[in-house]
Amino acid sequence: MQYELTEEQNMLRAAVRKIAEEQIKPGVFEADEAERWRPELIDILRDNGLLSIEFPKEYGGEDAGLLAEVIATEELSRVDGTVGNISAGHTLGALPILIAANDDVKKRFLPGISTGKDLCTFGLTETSGGSDVAGFTTRAEKKGNEYLINGNKIFISNGTYADVSTVYAVTDPAKPQHQKATVFAFRMKNPDGSFVPGYSVGKREIKMGLRTADTVEQVYNDLHVPAEDMVGKEGQAFAIMMKTLDFSRPVIAAQALGNAQGAFEEAVAYAKERVVFGKPIIQHEGIGFMLADMAIQIESARQLLYKAASVLQELSKDINVRLTPEQVRYSSMCKCYATDVGMAVTTNAVQVFGGYGYCRDYPVEKKMRDAKVLQIYEGSNEIQRLVISRTL
Ligand SMILES: Cc1cc2nc3c(=O)[nH]c(=O)nc-3n(C[C@H](O)[C@H](O)[C@H](O)COP(=O)(O)OP(=O)(O)OC[C@H]3O[C@@H](n4cnc5c(N)ncnc54)[C@H](O)[C@@H]3O)c2cc1C
């Protein structure tokens, strides 16, 4: 049994850290201040293979596994809380296809997605509430050889800038909640970059954190999707969504962990420099112990996350293979714990900086703002605790 990262994984971490420091960090705070989307981030991620890590080699991906994806996301998020939202949203959007699509659908969509040529997004959440899919009303009605999709999805990451979307739509409202919806894949853009007829983007969210992320309302108005682009079987969306989230949650944990690591490093450096009452504040026990607790929390979250990723990456994504309660629990535990740690660590990093921590000239307040949403999206931490408690 090996309890260390492999040489390849350590090399990946070093390579991504270099990319993050040199290509992503410059401009992070200016873009956050201006709430400006950074299109160059997609190019940086794609050109360095960071949109391909988990995808099968047969479709042009790296097939490096979930733990590699986690390590890369951690390093990206160490310098910017937003950039991981692009790659996590991409993987989230593609997972339903990897999990449930037939070979024809895979061949149509995965080569572009796996190489990062096509950015991906997943339209699930609606105004009735992201936690409870029972109220979802986006409808897909069969007309001949195609489905007409109508409805609205909210808070969708990459909803404007992606090329391919998967969408969760009700196909038979009379069926029980777990059987009434179906997943479809569709191309969002015409060759000239305009949206295809029937798809548009509505409200763009103005957010506390992740301010440079593309978080928008997806509007479906008679979107025509060929029946052959159904992902899995009719009525299978709930099962596909649950399995999708099982595999995607560790990546959210990695965003939280990297963001916390970045805040922690800033806090330690500041605590060694800032002299109050005649000595650096790290030598005042109140601050020294706070930093010690942050170190403990970060390393604990990292170990749980790496364990969860190691467990999950060995499992079949195939929709016909069910995960055990213990396997599902790892996914939820690492997401819940790492994102709670992310919030606690970044809040304490602000505390270490004192009044400067609260000001935008210093880096930690952004990290605290970026940390919050990670306790909310991809299943809030209340929902994670619900999932975990049900497996006990
Ligand atoms: C920046 C951002 C990006 C996002 N990206 C995407 C995306 O790409 N695709 C997508 O589909 N969605 C996305 N979302 C939506 C996100 O997943 C939802 O916001 C989240 O699932 C919570 O749903 P909600 O906001 O409707 O809260 P609600 O479901 O209304 O919940 C409100 C509160 O009640 C709590 N709660 C709900 N049910 C229970 C319960 N049974 N027990 C205890 N507490 C409960 C919740 O934890 C929460 O605190 C994104 C959201 C944000 C903010």
Side-chain angles (χ1 to χ4, degrees):
M1 182 182 166
Q2 190 182 359
Y3 197 72
E4 292 295 333
L5 297 185
T6 63
E7 199 184 334
E8 288 78 19
Q9 287 160 343
N10 282 322
M11 282 165 58
L12 173 74
R13 178 190 294 287
V16 179
R17 181 167 292 204
K18 192 164 186 295
I19 294 161
E21 288 284 350
E22 291 176 1
Q23 299 182 50
I24 293 173
K25 195 171 182 183
V28 161
F29 292 97
E30 293 78 1
D32 178 72
E33 195 59 30
E35 305 208 17
R36 181 177 62 77
W37 167 251
R38 297 176 72 197
E40 71 272 19
L41 291 183
I42 300 178
D43 299 331
I44 294 168
L45 293 175
R46 180 198 305 115
D47 295 349
N48 289 287
L50 299 177
L51 295 175
S52 307
I53 295 174
E54 259 194 278
F55 291 93
K57 278 217 158 72
E58 65 174 306
Y59 297 111
E62 302 285 337
D63 222 352
L66 180 56
L67 182 51
E69 175 103 34
V70 157
I71 292 166
T73 305
E74 187 187 340
E75 287 303 325
L76 294 171
S77 305
R78 181 177 157 272
V79 304
D80 179 22
T82 298
V83 65
N85 179 254
I86 299 174
S87 48
H90 174 71
T91 312
L92 176 71
L95 271 167
I97 301 175
L98 290 168
I99 286 169
N102 64 33
D103 283 349
D104 289 342
V105 174
K106 284 183 176 169
K107 276 182 197 146
R108 271 199 294 285
F109 288 97
L110 283 183
I113 293 172
S114 302
T115 53
K117 183 175 90 49
D118 294 333
L119 190 70
C120 211
T121 177
F122 186 25
L124 175 66
T125 305
E126 300 191 12
T127 49
S128 58
S131 309
D132 181 7
V133 299
F136 288 1
T137 56
T138 293
R139 187 82 164 87
E141 285 181 89
K142 192 150 195 239
K143 302 266 180 214
N145 285 337
E146 57 182 21
Y147 284 80
L148 275 190
I149 303 187
N150 283 287
N152 298 52
K153 299 286 178 180
I154 57 166
F155 300 145
I156 306 305
S157 306
N158 299 338
T160 316
Y161 297 97
D163 305 283
V164 169
S165 183
T166 43
V167 58
Y168 182 104
V170 174
T171 36
D172 189 347
K175 287 249 170 80
Q177 177 191 329
H178 295 179
Q179 296 162 18
K180 68 182 183 185
T182 304
V183 174
F184 297 90
F186 68 97
R187 297 204 152 272
M188 293 160 51
K189 308 264 173 75
N190 295 307
D192 67 358
S194 60
F195 290 129
V196 296
Y199 180 79
S200 60
V201 163
K203 183 168 182 252
R204 176 180 178 270
E205 300 298 342
I206 300 167
K207 307 185 292 297
M208 171 197 290
L210 258 60
R211 286 165 54 165
T212 57
D214 174 30
T215 314
V216 294
E217 177 186 16
Q218 290 186 318
V219 181
Y220 297 90
N221 189 4
D222 278 349
L223 174 75
H224 292 245
V225 176
E228 61 183 14
D229 286 342
M230 182 188 291
V231 175
K233 298 188 187 121
E234 196 169 293
Q236 218 176 19
F238 188 80
I240 296 171
M241 182 194 72
M242 297 309 280
K243 195 152 187 184
T244 293
L245 296 174
D246 289 336
F247 281 95
S248 66
R249 282 174 179 143
V251 182
I252 308 304
Q255 282 182 265
L257 177 62
N259 188 49
Q261 177 69 37
F264 175 67
E265 288 173 22
E266 299 282 0
V268 170
Y270 186 78
K272 287 179 178 174
E273 256 175 38
R274 176 70 169 171
V275 174
V276 173
F277 293 107
K279 55 185 179 183
I281 56 172
I282 195 167
Q283 290 176 22
H284 293 290
E285 196 174 274
I287 296 295
F289 279 17
M290 193 187 288
L291 291 164
D293 283 337
M294 289 155 79
I296 295 167
Q297 289 172 317
I298 288 173
E299 196 52 31
S300 310
R302 180 173 288 123
Q303 295 305 317
L304 178 56
L305 171 57
Y306 288 6
K307 171 72 183 178
S310 304
V311 167
L312 288 161
Q313 74 178 1
E314 297 305 319
L315 306 176
S316 169
K317 291 199 174 74
D318 189 323
I319 188 66
N320 298 309
V321 180
R322 282 177 71 100
L323 303 191
T324 66
E326 290 75 19
Q327 290 159 349
V328 170
R329 194 191 303 158
Y330 266 118
S331 169
S332 287
M333 286 197 305
C334 77
K335 191 276 181 182
C336 190
Y337 187 66
T339 58
D340 282 353
V341 161
M343 197 66 241
V345 165
T346 55
T347 304
N348 278 338
V350 169
Q351 193 71 17
V352 169
F353 272 74
Y356 296 114
Y358 200 66
C359 297
R360 290 200 184 164
D361 289 347
Y362 288 79
V364 286
E365 66 85 33
K366 172 182 183 300
K367 292 183 185 297
M368 182 177 162
R369 286 188 283 108
D370 288 347
K372 184 62 208 170
V373 75
L374 303 170
Q375 294 179 300
I376 296 170
Y377 73 25
E378 214 115 328
S380 68
N381 283 3
E382 288 74 31
I383 296 299
Q384 302 313 318
R385 288 185 166 89
L386 199 67
V387 170
I388 295 162
S389 66
R390 282 178 179 165
T391 69
L392 298 178

